[in-house]
Every structure is written in structure tokens, then in C-alpha cells.
Amino acid sequence: LLYVKRCGAYVTGTHITESSIDTCKKRFAFYGFSGEFERMDAENLLFPNNSFEVVYSFGVLHHVPNTTKAIQEIHRVLKHNGKAFIRINAKGWWYYLRIILWQGIIKRKLFYMTKQEVINQNTTIANASPLVKYYSKKEVQELFNSFTIQRIERNYLGGKFDFLPYWLGESIFAKIAGNHWMIEIEKKYP
């Protein structure tokens, strides 16, 4: 958000936790910028219809209980021809090899936990997350079917592959098996 503000945009930031809102306000103040920041649930945005030209969501929607509802809210608050840039988790090597195969089957967690519990507890290295979802490309297309999809692209292999030259890791392998979907969409006319 700070980067977008530095480029001259008027920004409004939302988050479900007050602590994140406070952090954002302090960070903006430190750099001498202003913006609007509100504590808000992504499934129930408090903005009028057609409020924004651009919506940016980086790593949020796969943690929202009702992701479809949050996407409907993005559609509602975007102006006609407005764009959204979204990053959500992709079913890639991390999902299939590290979570399902290694944690779920080899470490036998699927024998005493649900698949969702295994995913939630093993998505990040340091801590478990309350809710984490992963999507195939087809599922992403279905989630965003009320928009004109301009780009769906995999990226980010993860820190374990930092030893690879960028051109090989992020430019080639990440496009095939990356952990995130980068999605660029545009609001269709009704």
C-alpha cells in the first residue's frame, strides 16, 4: 500500500485486525504519507458500490472463510472497468509435496487430523494459520468468473529455492510449479 501511495495514488486500506490498521497508520506517518485505514471484514466491506478504480489483495483471500463472498464484495466496490490485482495460494509443489505427501502421509498427520487441519498447521514454517486454502487454475477461473480475467500466472517457488539463479527459479520453474497465483481481473459490465 505504501508503494502505491508513493506512486501518487489515493489509498484506502482495510484489515480485520486493529493491530494491522495501527501498524499501517504508523508506517505511513513515519514516511510522511496519509491514507484511509479501516478495520473491516473482507466479506462485508462497508464501502458503497463502485467506489474504487483498483483493488489490491495480496495473500488475503485464501484465509477468508467465505472467499466467494469476499470476491463478490470486490466486484461490488470496483467501478466499471475497474481492475483488481489478487495473489492467492496455488496448488503447487508446496501443497502437494510438503503438506499433503510429507506432513499428511509420511508424517502420518492425516491419520489423526483432517486434511484442512494439516493444511492450516503446515502452510507456514513458523506458525499455523487459522485457515488456509489452495486453488487450482480451474478453481481460480471459477472463483473469478464474474470478471474478465486478464492474467492468471504462477509465481514464487519459496525461499528453499533461493540458491537457483533468478532466471531459472522464478522465471521458469515458478511459472510451472509456483506457490502463488497472480491474478489480474477487470470488472465486466452488468
Side-chain angles (χ1 to χ4, degrees):
L1 198 58
L2 185 59
Y3 174 80
V4 174
K5 181 65 177 182
R6 284 180 172 157
C7 292
Y10 178 80
V11 298
T12 302
T14 66
H15 199 273
I16 198 164
T17 66
E18 196 62 46
S19 62
S20 290
I21 296 297
D22 290 341
T23 299
C24 205
K25 286 178 181 177
K26 288 175 186 173
R27 186 168 172 85
F28 266 60
F30 179 81
Y31 288 102
F33 289 112
S34 62
E36 298 292 322
F37 307 99
E38 297 184 45
R39 185 174 179 269
M40 207 173 292
D41 177 350
E43 296 174 17
N44 300 291
L45 297 174
L46 302 176
F47 302 112
N49 295 349
N50 308 310
S51 294
F52 299 99
E53 294 174 21
V54 176
V55 171
Y56 176 76
S57 174
F58 191 86
V60 175
L61 296 178
H62 53 248
H63 295 293
V64 175
N66 189 342
T67 302
T68 300
K69 176 79 167 83
I71 292 168
Q72 289 169 347
E73 283 293 275
I74 290 170
H75 191 275
R76 183 183 66 75
V77 301
L78 265 178
K79 292 180 178 180
H80 295 298
N81 296 322
K83 291 193 173 211
F85 300 90
I86 313 286
R87 201 273 297 156
I88 60 174
N89 287 339
K91 289 180 178 173
W93 80 269
W94 183 269
Y95 175 80
Y96 290 110
L97 296 178
R98 185 180 186 282
I99 297 175
I100 303 302
L101 180 63
W102 180 252
Q103 296 292 334
I105 297 170
I106 294 172
K107 287 194 151 189
R108 302 179 56 84
K109 291 182 180 178
L110 282 173
F111 292 97
Y112 58 90
M113 299 169 79
T114 67
K115 180 180 172 185
Q116 189 61 58
E117 288 171 331
V118 173
I119 291 168
N120 294 347
Q121 290 189 7
N122 294 283
T123 291
T124 60
I125 299 294
N127 297 308
S129 297
L131 176 64
V132 183
K133 300 176 202 169
Y134 287 81
Y135 298 94
S136 67
K137 186 171 186 176
K138 182 179 178 184
E139 290 167 331
V140 169
Q141 291 167 330
E142 290 169 2
L143 279 173
F144 295 98
N145 66 5
S146 62
F147 294 87
T148 299
I149 298 173
Q150 297 180 320
R151 178 175 62 107
I152 300 174
E153 184 177 285
R154 282 185 182 275
N155 77 350
Y156 188 65
L157 281 175
K160 293 190 182 302
F161 294 92
D162 285 346
F163 66 91
L164 292 173
Y166 184 85
W167 66 268
L168 181 60
E170 290 303 316
S171 294
I172 296 175
F173 291 152
K175 303 283 188 238
I176 299 165
N179 298 322
H180 303 151
W181 291 114
M182 296 302 294
I183 305 153
E184 181 181 345
I185 52 179
E186 186 174 353
K187 184 174 178 178
K188 293 178 183 177
Y189 280 106

